[in-house]
Amino acid sequence: MSFPVRSGTRFGAGWYPGDLAACTVGGLAAGYLVTVLPAGSTLRLAVALPLVFFLPGYALTAALFPASARAGRGWNPVGASEGETDRSRPGGIDTAERLACALALSIATVPTAVIALAPTVGLTTGTVAAALAGVTAVVAQVGVLRRLRVPEGERYTVSARNAFRRLRGEQGAVATASALVLVAGVVAAALALGSGLVAPQPTPGFTELGLYTEEEDGDLVADGFPDAIEPGESVPFVVAVENHEREAANYTVVVEEQHIADGGVADRTRLDEASFAVEDGDSERTEWTVTPTAEEGTVRIAVLLYEGESPASDAEPAEDVHFWLEIADGGDETDADDTDETVEAEDGTNGAGNESNDSGTTGGDDVGTDDGDDASADGESGNDTEDVLEEIFGNGSDDVGDGGE
């Protein structure tokens, strides 16, 4: 009974894989530099790219595939028959495949580290860089141990000359060119993706301008503007400016009365303006009350926002909002109503006077007639009494006279 013998496998006291040594030192140095260099610097980008897109994956690839490509294809142990191989032998891949795996595994390692850091220590530049550097250093040591367990003649070693000779001799010129194109594509993809993620182009800032009216309960709404007003009547509203420019900014708000003709501004009148500064992420709300100067017609009340000092009247604003007003004189209708009310009042007064006169006349006539009738009645009564007395006393008088005679 014979056992397979792995000749040449030894741990040299002074032997250490150069590529994994460079991977370890490079990962630790890159992790340190990323945390101390200022954000947006070219040097920080240069050291962050390999830390994010190459070094962790390369260390993991070395731990998974410690042997060279030829050694991994099959290995005949001592005493084995032809065609019999040791299935427990660590596999190997060539240089082009190793670079591709390094990129792919690095891209997979970064989100894994982020998921692990988010609920524990939090996500910052320092924690992510330290995690990637630590993973690279630890996994690289695992790769060293696994590579040292492979016989020297079958270990993967970094040698550009040997790799080129191996590719050209075993696979031919076409395969060599294909491998070089693959390597170049992997490097280009890593650089493009790294430049976009590590140093993304800043998106331009913006400013929001809002025009509102205030309700009775104090809430601001984007409607409620009057449709029509009378000449000299004022219109209140609220202007809100929100700064998202990523820095403090100075603004000037101008309120104009504009007359529109043929699709353009035919005439404009500046009603009011104000300048103020707003910090990044803050907002400024101001209450305005303007009185249009037009006596009649349709005007547009425009609120124009400028960055910096007050500009000329024809300058292009950064933002603008507006609402429309119809100015109409309601005085004629009011006068007509007043006139109608006056006429009605006069008619009422005249009617009352006529009624008084009629009542007075009728009352006088009635009184006079009644007095006359009463007087007549009294006269008639007096005459009747006199007649009765004459009849009584007259006869008596006659009798008396006659008796005296």
Side-chain angles (χ1 to χ4, degrees):
M1 182 176 181
S2 61
F3 297 93
V5 178
R6 300 180 181 180
S7 60
T9 302
R10 62 186 178 88
F11 296 92
W15 192 89
Y16 194 96
D19 58 332
L20 294 180
C23 181
T24 303
V25 175
L28 295 176
Y32 172 75
L33 292 176
V34 167
T35 58
V36 298
L37 292 175
S41 64
T42 305
L43 182 57
R44 185 182 185 184
L45 173 62
V47 299
L49 284 176
L51 178 63
V52 175
F53 295 103
F54 183 74
L55 295 178
Y58 185 83
L60 187 56
T61 302
L64 295 175
F65 305 101
S68 62
R70 181 167 49 186
R73 296 291 187 263
W75 174 71
N76 293 328
V78 177
S81 61
E82 185 178 355
E84 183 181 355
T85 60
D86 184 5
R87 299 299 181 183
S88 65
R89 189 69 174 175
I93 56 177
D94 59 21
T95 302
E97 295 170 339
R98 197 171 292 270
L99 292 177
C101 286
L103 175 63
L105 293 176
S106 294
I107 295 176
T109 302
V110 173
T112 304
V114 169
I115 293 174
L117 293 174
T120 54
V121 297
L123 294 178
T124 62
T125 302
T127 58
V128 174
L132 294 179
V135 168
T136 301
V138 172
V139 177
Q141 307 318 305
V142 176
V144 170
L145 295 177
R146 295 207 63 193
R147 190 177 295 182
L148 291 177
R149 294 178 60 87
V150 178
E152 292 186 15
E154 299 168 3
R155 296 172 185 167
Y156 175 77
T157 57
V158 178
S159 175
R161 180 181 300 179
N162 293 338
F164 182 77
R165 288 177 180 177
R166 187 181 303 116
L167 288 172
R168 186 174 183 181
E170 296 178 358
Q171 303 176 5
V174 176
T176 301
S178 300
L180 293 177
V181 170
L182 176 61
V183 172
V186 169
V187 174
L191 292 176
L193 185 61
S195 62
L197 295 178
V198 178
Q201 294 296 327
T203 56
F206 63 95
T207 300
E208 291 185 3
L209 175 64
L211 185 60
Y212 307 96
T213 59
E214 186 174 357
E215 295 183 334
E216 295 181 357
D217 56 0
D219 293 338
L220 298 181
V221 294
D223 54 7
F225 299 96
D227 296 327
I229 61 173
E230 295 184 0
E233 185 177 351
S234 300
V235 180
F237 54 88
V238 178
V239 176
V241 179
E242 296 186 10
N243 180 11
H244 300 280
E245 300 289 348
R246 297 186 177 86
E247 61 180 1
N250 296 320
Y251 298 101
T252 298
V253 175
V254 176
V255 181
E256 287 187 350
E257 174 187 340
Q258 299 177 348
H259 296 265
I260 308 301
D262 299 330
V265 180
D267 184 27
R268 66 181 71 214
T269 302
R270 182 168 294 191
L271 301 177
D272 201 354
E273 67 176 86
S275 299
F276 47 83
V278 182
E279 296 293 330
D280 179 35
D282 292 343
S283 61
E284 179 73 17
R285 294 182 179 180
T286 55
E287 297 182 359
W288 298 71
T289 301
V290 297
T291 304
T293 60
E295 296 294 332
E296 61 180 357
T298 302
V299 298
R300 185 173 72 180
I301 305 300
V303 179
L304 312 178
L305 177 67
Y306 299 92
E307 296 181 358
E309 300 297 331
S310 177
S313 59
D314 57 348
E316 186 70 18
E319 301 288 341
D320 66 280
V321 290
H322 64 269
F323 62 93
W324 297 88
L325 286 177
E326 180 71 25
I327 302 177
D329 188 3
D332 296 340
E333 183 178 356
T334 304
D335 294 342
D337 294 341
D338 294 342
T339 302
D340 293 340
E341 294 177 357
T342 303
V343 171
E344 291 177 359
E346 292 177 354
D347 292 342
T349 304
N350 294 334
N354 293 334
E355 291 177 358
S356 300
N357 293 335
D358 293 342
S359 300
T361 304
T362 304
D365 294 341
D366 292 342
V367 171
T369 303
D370 292 342
D371 293 341
D373 293 340
D374 294 341
S376 299
D378 293 339
E380 292 177 356
S381 300
N383 293 333
D384 293 339
T385 302
E386 291 178 354
D387 293 338
V388 171
L389 291 176
E390 288 178 358
E391 290 179 359
I392 296 174
F393 295 104
N395 295 333
S397 299
D398 296 337
D399 294 341
V400 172
D402 293 336
E405 292 177 351

